[in-house]
Amino acid sequence: MFRFATELVAWVAAPWALASFSVPLAVLSVVVLIGLPTVFATPGDKRQVLVAVPGPVTIALVLLQLAVAVAASWAAWHPVAAGVVSALAAVTAVLELPRWRWLLRR
């Protein structure tokens, strides 16, 4: 639940932060943030795997989502909202640790 909430924030905050610079870049950010984890997955972590990757790649994709959520929220939103997003990302990272340990063995 926390990971999905953080992903949603990244999907909203990234194009929001980039739109004033480049609308195509804003659209591309959403395509990348949604597309990469959809295409690349670790077998056993998702039901359908289009392109199988080792666990560390899946961890890197989650870390990318977390970093984008935090950075884009600080760039685009009020500091209070960005602080909430930062706390959400930190909680998500802590809650993901057991999954990441499992993924490191894949």
Side-chain angles (χ1 to χ4, degrees):
M1 177 173 140
F2 284 89
R3 179 171 30 117
F4 182 67
T6 308
E7 289 173 349
L8 282 175
V9 170
W11 300 343
V12 172
W16 195 324
L18 293 170
S20 62
F21 299 107
S22 168
V23 172
L25 190 58
V27 171
L28 180 63
S29 71
V30 175
V31 170
V32 167
L33 290 170
I34 294 173
L36 286 179
T38 301
V39 173
F40 301 101
T42 303
D45 190 42
K46 283 190 175 179
R47 286 183 184 185
Q48 273 191 312
V49 175
L50 298 176
V51 177
V53 295
V57 174
T58 298
I59 294 169
L61 291 173
V62 173
L63 289 171
L64 172 69
Q65 297 269 356
L66 295 175
V68 167
V70 170
S73 67
W74 280 101
W77 298 340
H78 189 276
V80 172
V84 171
V85 171
S86 297
L88 174 65
V91 169
T92 300
V94 169
L95 293 175
E96 283 288 298
L97 288 175
R99 178 174 172 249
W100 291 349
R101 284 187 201 101
W102 178 84
L103 284 167
L104 287 172
R105 294 189 302 268
R106 300 287 167 231

